[in-house]
Every structure is written in structure tokens, then in C-alpha cells.
Amino acid sequence: KGNGPVVQRGFVPPPDLTRPEARAYSDARLFHVISAGQNIMPSYAGKLTESERWAVVYYIRQLQQQAAGTQAALLPHSSQQRQ
């Protein structure tokens, strides 16, 4: 969620890739950002193979699904309390 050890050392926090706006990014957009970089994030095209960059996209999607599942699991309980 962008609050790891790098941020604790004073670096700018990266965006939370589990937020709805990031979940709306296409796989191609994520791949492009990983490959070309964006804002303060450098390009990883020279460090990761194409297959490895696609694996990062897949990993991000898994994190997003896990976060969405956690949020969805909380919704029924929350809505029951409101009734």
C-alpha cells in the first residue's frame, strides 16, 4: 500500500496499487509504467525481461484481487450493522 521501509527512510510514497483508480488501469498501462517508468519511478525495462515485467503485472493483479476480497468480505458485515 505504499507504506513500506522505503517511505520510512524519507522517500516519496508510491501510489497504493490496490485503490480503485489503480485497479481500473489496463494490463497494458501497468506494463508500460513498469517498462518506461513514470514520475519518479524509473524504467525497469533494462532490469527485468519482458516476461518478468508481465509477471509483475500479474502479481499486482493478485494483490488487487486479494485487497478487493478483503474489502468485499467486510461489506456484508458492515451493511448488516446499519440495518
Side-chain angles (χ1 to χ4, degrees), residues 6-43:
V6 172
V7 173
Q8 294 170 6
R9 292 184 184 144
F11 288 88
V12 176
D16 178 356
L17 295 175
T18 63
R19 72 189 198 290
E21 297 85 2
R23 288 196 312 260
Y25 294 162
S26 69
D27 289 354
R29 169 121 174 109
L30 290 172
F31 182 83
H32 173 77
V33 170
I34 295 163
S35 299
Q38 180 174 307
N39 299 327
I40 64 168
M41 179 178 157
S43 165

Side-chain angles (χ1 to χ4, degrees), residues 1 16-20 22-25 27 30 55-75:
K1 292 194 173 201
D16 178 356
L17 295 175
T18 63
R19 72 189 198 290
R23 288 196 312 260
Y25 294 162
D27 289 354
L30 290 172
V56 172
V57 172
Y58 178 77
Y59 180 71
I60 291 168
R61 293 299 188 207
Q62 295 302 307
L63 292 174
Q64 291 171 338
Q65 286 180 356
Q66 184 180 37
T70 301
Q71 292 168 0
L74 295 175
L75 290 178

